[in-house]
Amino acid sequence: MFYKVSKEDEYLFQGKRKRLVELLKSKGITNANVLSAIEKIPRHLFFDPTTGRPALIDHAYSDKALPIGAGQTISHPYTVAFQTQLLDLKAGEKVLEIGTGCGYQTVVLLEMGAKVYSIERQKQLFDKTKLFLPFIGYNSAKLIYGDGYKGLPQFAPYDKIIVTAGAPYLPNDLLIQLKVGGIIVIPIGEGEVQEMVWLKKTSESTFDRKNLGNFKFVPLLSSKSKT
Ligand code: SAH
């Protein structure tokens, strides 16, 4: 079910990860914990295995979005690094992730010491990732099959919230479930391109806001998929 890696491949991938980290630094990623998480995590294991070894070797550590099954993609490493850096994460913080996908971003958060709650609406992807993360040694994330627009009120409030699909608007439930002092990073916009939005909750009803450039995400869809 999952891609099997030889020792030789693992050395090759380690070298490629180091070069990816250099690339991310050259693009402006400075957070040492983000960079060391990316240097450590075997991104090549997260793809749809039907893409095959040549595709993995060529693309797993280049700055590309790639298929993870069910018509979804893993985000570019730069996008993952940029969003994570914006969260200004401290070890032990409680993070809500919307859009688990293949779990790569989830694992970046875990490597940074976060307590992670992650919601996925696609049943197929949810089932796969729920098996996959423990398989590669990550047991502690709480993965939920559900609709990210509603957040996860039973474990709120969260120190940080990260949305990894393009939202047409700011979901009110997520703003409510964020702690005062907390940060949400969310790509906003309909159509091809979204604006990366950073919000810090300064009181129950006020936010500081920064718009941080254009990115391309798959859309945040409403409600859970049936299959
Ligand atoms: N963080 C992921 C990115 C996956 S792409 C990774 O590292 O792989 C975005 C994901 O958001 C997709 O898996 C998609 O199914 C999911 N998604 C879209 N709308 C959603 C919603 N309303 N609630 C939860 N997940 C959603």
Side-chain angles (χ1 to χ4, degrees):
M1 174 180 187
F2 303 122
Y3 184 72
K4 202 167 173 319
V5 189
S6 68
K7 266 256 168 310
E8 224 169 80
D9 278 352
E10 187 45 40
Y11 289 129
L12 175 70
F13 290 134
Q14 274 172 17
K16 283 176 176 281
R17 280 202 290 276
K18 278 200 175 12
R19 285 195 288 283
L20 173 60
V21 163
E22 291 311 314
L23 176 72
L24 297 175
K25 281 186 190 167
S26 76
K27 289 187 169 186
I29 303 300
T30 53
N31 183 305
N33 295 333
V34 173
L35 293 168
S36 68
I38 288 176
E39 185 160 345
K40 182 168 175 198
I41 299 165
R43 188 172 186 259
H44 57 273
L45 298 179
F46 288 75
F47 302 119
D48 181 353
T50 59
T51 53
R53 184 176 184 277
L56 294 173
I57 301 283
D58 288 347
H59 301 308
Y61 297 103
S62 55
D63 195 16
K64 287 185 177 157
L66 286 165
I68 54 174
Q72 302 302 317
T73 53
I74 183 173
S75 299
H76 289 66
Y78 175 72
T79 307
V80 172
F82 187 72
Q83 281 197 284
T84 311
Q85 179 162 285
L86 286 173
L87 287 180
D88 191 23
L89 204 56
K90 315 273 182 313
E93 284 186 332
K94 202 154 94 177
V95 180
L96 176 65
E97 177 190 24
I98 309 299
T100 316
C102 68
Y104 180 75
Q105 171 76 68
T106 315
V107 167
V108 171
L109 297 167
L110 291 175
E111 280 292 343
M112 294 180 69
K115 284 182 68 181
V116 185
Y117 298 79
S118 185
I119 309 177
E120 173 58 54
R121 70 173 287 282
Q122 256 282 346
K123 184 75 167 72
Q124 243 180 300
L125 267 178
F126 168 77
D127 287 341
K128 188 164 140 190
T129 302
K130 204 172 163 59
L131 281 179
F132 174 65
L133 292 192
F135 177 76
I136 60 163
Y138 293 96
N139 298 302
S140 64
K142 183 143 181 66
L143 304 180
I144 294 104
Y145 167 54
D147 177 5
Y149 276 96
K150 301 194 177 101
L152 198 59
Q154 59 271 44
F155 298 106
Y158 302 94
D159 298 293
K160 309 285 160 69
I161 300 179
I162 178 169
V163 181
T164 68
Y169 57 88
L170 269 168
N172 200 38
D173 285 329
L174 298 185
L175 300 183
I176 291 168
Q177 291 169 33
L178 187 63
K179 259 185 203 165
V180 172
I183 292 171
I184 176 168
V185 177
I186 177 169
I188 302 225
E190 284 174 284
E192 286 287 288
V193 174
Q194 295 82 34
E195 172 107 65
M196 190 66 76
V197 174
W198 174 99
L199 293 167
K200 186 169 201 166
K201 191 164 179 175
T202 47
S203 77
E204 283 306 338
S205 56
T206 54
F207 292 84
D208 285 343
R209 175 176 178 142
K210 290 185 214 164
N211 291 359
L212 294 161
N214 289 336
F215 289 80
K216 280 187 176 180
F217 283 84
V218 295
L220 189 68
L221 300 172
S222 59
S223 70
K224 296 196 282 196
S225 76
K226 299 282 181 287
T227 54

